[in-house]
Amino acid sequence: MLSTIIYRSQLSESVSPERLQALVDHSSLRNAAIEVTGILLLDGQHFFQVLEGSMEAVLTVYQRISQDDRHFNLIELMRDYAPARRFGHAGMALFDLRDYPQHKVVDALLERVTLSDERIRHDRVVKFLRSFVEGRDKETFIAIEQADRWQLTAPRAFLSQPTWQPAPDQRCEFALQPIVDVASRRIVSCEALIRGPKGASPAEYFAQLHESERYQADLHSKSYAFQLAGHLDLREQTISVNLLPMSLVVIEDAVEYLIQQIRHQGLRPEQVVVEVTEDEVISRFDAFQSAVQQLKAAGISLALDDFGAGFAGLSLLADFQPDKVKIDRKLITDIHCSGPRQAIVRAIITCCQALEITVIAEGVEKIEEWLWLEGAGVRYFQGFLFARPALNTLPPISWPERRPL
Ligand SMILES: Cc1cc2nc3c(=O)[nH]c(=O)nc-3n(C[C@H](O)[C@H](O)[C@H](O)COP(=O)(O)O)c2cc1C
């Protein structure tokens, strides 16, 4: 099956025309040998390449190209299947935009396309090519620094936090993972992540629960999370707890129970964020909405967790207008080199800015992911890059810092 990959990248340094021609000649021969065709566009600072052939061959070439240090910031814009090649004539040809007057460059490029006129009009690859040639893609492009200019500080403890000793008969425990504001090196919230006794995995904990006790156990476990938070020196930080949306619906007086437990541990409702995942279908919508209203009326904030990965999606923003949205890790992983993820996350950020909803990126593990997200306007982060969850205490934190020159 014929597949296509398109990417864009930035030149590491200026490459002489001779070296560039040698690269193109060599690539053209190598590509032709495995029936890969395509084109390489250059505007002086950026490359834009189309690779088409069998998925296996295209991926092999793309992986080699990704390792090449003559360019950086590679962003895969499209990976798709097609009935016909766009550049059936050449293994790889160079098209330097600077060789053409502005008003002729699109036509000159389209002359090279080996599709019928009808196909050209509707083809996504051709639309991507036009966008690059006309410079429209730059309106949304976020240029990030090279990651090797950054390093992480050694993990440092946040104040001197005591480790909380849970009671021996406690059915579950909590690990804490901070949500951080990197620009001001502050912890803004600590998420309490459920664990079994002695730190057993969440899967082990849930496995020993009977289906009928699921919601009750979910709600009641929060009292342990608040107890742990009450023993920490939280100051202006909030404590974030996860709750199944249906726990608020199925259990009578769930919200009163939460408020009572919060106060019992010496916390204020304003210090608590309830994170609801959108991965469970909310079957009694009105009852859920009324519970959310009660939470908010009491001063508790609401965050939509794993946003972008579940069932309900964007309409939840209209119905509940949460205070915070946590973008799911599936959208965050490798965002720096994925055009589709960048487009989706940019749209989420724009939407949340219009609604004054705070955006948190979760599952951040790489400096490059953080650099892109920061460039896109995200301020709050959670992930192994900064801190791993720690059982019954706050973990030490690493901060990104510029490497000394
Ligand atoms: C912008 C750019 C585009 C490239 N395109 C191709 C290509 O289409 N095919 C290819 O084999 N190599 C391409 N290369 C070169 C590869 O990165 C790599 O250097 C080369 O495939 C190694 O070939 P060798 O194993 O024969 O030395 C490209 C490099 C750059 C910087």
Side-chain angles (χ1 to χ4, degrees), residues 170-188:
Q170 202 168 299
R171 288 186 78 185
C172 65
E173 297 182 21
F174 283 89
L176 295 175
Q177 190 182 28
I179 296 165
V180 294
D181 175 349
V182 179
S184 63
R185 291 200 173 187
R186 272 187 320 127
I187 294 183
V188 289

Side-chain angles (χ1 to χ4, degrees), residues 7 9-11 15 20 23-24 26-32 34 36-42 46-51 60-72 74 91-93:
Y7 74 87
S9 63
Q10 281 175 264
L11 257 77
V15 186
L20 196 58
L23 166 87
V24 171
H26 182 72
S27 300
S28 187
L29 286 175
R30 288 203 65 165
N31 290 1
I34 50 169
V36 168
T37 52
I39 197 160
L40 178 69
L41 271 51
L42 172 66
H46 306 98
F47 286 120
F48 179 106
Q49 189 168 12
V50 178
L51 294 163
T60 307
V61 178
Y62 184 55
Q63 266 150 20
R64 264 204 325 266
I65 296 174
S66 314
Q67 313 289 320
D68 199 311
D69 60 9
R70 284 171 282 192
H71 60 169
F72 67 104
L74 259 80
M92 207 262 252

Side-chain angles (χ1 to χ4, degrees), residues 183-252:
S184 63
R185 291 200 173 187
R186 272 187 320 127
I187 294 183
V188 289
S189 190
C190 308
E191 182 177 358
L193 299 154
I194 199 150
R195 299 286 184 264
K198 301 196 174 62
S201 72
E204 276 175 73
Y205 168 71
F206 286 112
Q208 49 89 39
L209 285 181
H210 191 266
E211 185 61 28
S212 62
E213 7 166 44
R214 189 160 171 236
Y215 297 122
Q216 198 81 31
D218 178 45
L219 183 73
H220 287 171
S221 68
K222 302 311 165 271
S223 60
Y224 296 128
F226 298 142
Q227 196 176 18
L228 171 60
H231 280 81
L232 296 174
D233 187 11
L234 274 186
R235 305 191 182 182
E236 80 270 28
Q237 286 84 29
T238 55
I239 175 90
S240 301
V241 293
N242 294 278
L243 205 62
L244 294 167
M246 287 307 281
S247 301
L248 288 171
V249 172
V250 171
I251 299 167
E252 220 177 300

Side-chain angles (χ1 to χ4, degrees), residues 44-102:
Q45 286 173 317
H46 306 98
F47 286 120
F48 179 106
Q49 189 168 12
V50 178
L51 294 163
E52 42 191 13
S54 73
M55 185 51 96
E56 200 195 348
V58 164
L59 274 178
T60 307
V61 178
Y62 184 55
Q63 266 150 20
R64 264 204 325 266
I65 296 174
S66 314
Q67 313 289 320
D68 199 311
D69 60 9
R70 284 171 282 192
H71 60 169
F72 67 104
N73 250 345
L74 259 80
I75 302 169
E76 186 182 313
L77 300 172
M78 196 197 91
R79 187 183 287 211
D80 203 1
Y81 295 89
R85 291 179 192 261
R86 286 82 173 184
F87 297 97
H89 294 327
M92 207 262 252
L94 177 68
F95 185 91
D96 192 327
L97 273 57
R98 296 165 298 175
D99 293 342
Y100 301 87
Q102 182 96 44

Side-chain angles (χ1 to χ4, degrees), residues 67-329:
Q67 313 289 320
D68 199 311
D69 60 9
R70 284 171 282 192
H71 60 169
F72 67 104
N73 250 345
L74 259 80
I75 302 169
E76 186 182 313
L77 300 172
M78 196 197 91
R79 187 183 287 211
D80 203 1
Y81 295 89
R85 291 179 192 261
R86 286 82 173 184
F87 297 97
H89 294 327
M92 207 262 252
L94 177 68
F95 185 91
D96 192 327
L97 273 57
R98 296 165 298 175
D99 293 342
Y100 301 87
Q102 182 96 44
H103 65 287
K104 293 226 171 108
V105 62
V106 172
D107 288 340
L109 179 62
L110 292 183
E111 268 172 30
R112 304 226 186 171
V113 178
T114 54
L115 291 178
S116 66
D117 285 352
E118 170 63 14
R119 282 235 165 97
I120 285 182
R121 265 197 295 283
H122 302 291
D123 191 57
R124 276 182 76 209
V125 173
V126 174
K127 289 180 189 169
F128 269 112
L129 283 165
R130 273 182 180 277
S131 167
F132 181 78
V133 169
E134 290 166 2
R136 274 182 287 125
D137 63 326
K138 298 199 179 57
E139 290 160 18
T140 52
F141 178 67
I142 293 163
I144 60 168
E145 274 185 80
Q146 281 167 280
D148 60 9
R149 300 203 180 144
W150 289 81
Q151 62 188 13
L152 289 171
T153 60
R156 225 170 284 150
F158 176 75
L159 304 173
S160 55
Q161 291 292 342
T163 299
W164 163 243
Q165 287 301 336
D169 60 345
Q170 202 168 299
R171 288 186 78 185
C172 65
E173 297 182 21
F174 283 89
L176 295 175
Q177 190 182 28
I179 296 165
V180 294
D181 175 349
V182 179
S184 63
R185 291 200 173 187
R186 272 187 320 127
I187 294 183
V188 289
S189 190
C190 308
E191 182 177 358
L193 299 154
I194 199 150
R195 299 286 184 264
K198 301 196 174 62
S201 72
E204 276 175 73
Y205 168 71
F206 286 112
Q208 49 89 39
L209 285 181
H210 191 266
E211 185 61 28
S212 62
E213 7 166 44
R214 189 160 171 236
Y215 297 122
Q216 198 81 31
D218 178 45
L219 183 73
H220 287 171
S221 68
K222 302 311 165 271
S223 60
Y224 296 128
F226 298 142
Q227 196 176 18
L228 171 60
H231 280 81
L232 296 174
D233 187 11
L234 274 186
R235 305 191 182 182
E236 80 270 28
Q237 286 84 29
T238 55
I239 175 90
S240 301
V241 293
N242 294 278
L243 205 62
L244 294 167
M246 287 307 281
S247 301
L248 288 171
V249 172
V250 171
I251 299 167
E252 220 177 300
D253 300 333
V255 176
E256 278 99 290
Y257 175 81
L258 285 175
I259 295 167
Q260 187 206 346
Q261 291 301 314
I262 289 166
R263 295 204 195 281
H264 184 64
Q265 299 303 336
L267 300 168
R268 285 173 292 111
E270 288 76 11
Q271 287 180 290
V272 176
V273 181
V274 166
E275 296 188 6
V276 289
T277 42
E278 51 155 347
D279 65 354
E280 193 195 35
V281 181
I282 303 166
S283 52
R284 283 164 54 196
F285 217 70
D286 290 348
F288 179 63
Q289 200 149 25
S290 135
V292 166
Q293 283 160 6
Q294 284 179 59
L295 282 177
K296 294 197 145 198
I300 297 171
S301 303
L302 183 75
L304 276 188
D305 200 5
D306 302 334
F307 189 71
F311 286 97
L314 290 168
S315 67
L316 267 188
L317 286 190
D319 293 334
F320 299 117
Q321 308 200 357
D323 306 283
K324 300 169 208 304
V325 151
K326 294 180 82 178
I327 304 177
D328 189 69
R329 63 175 64 241

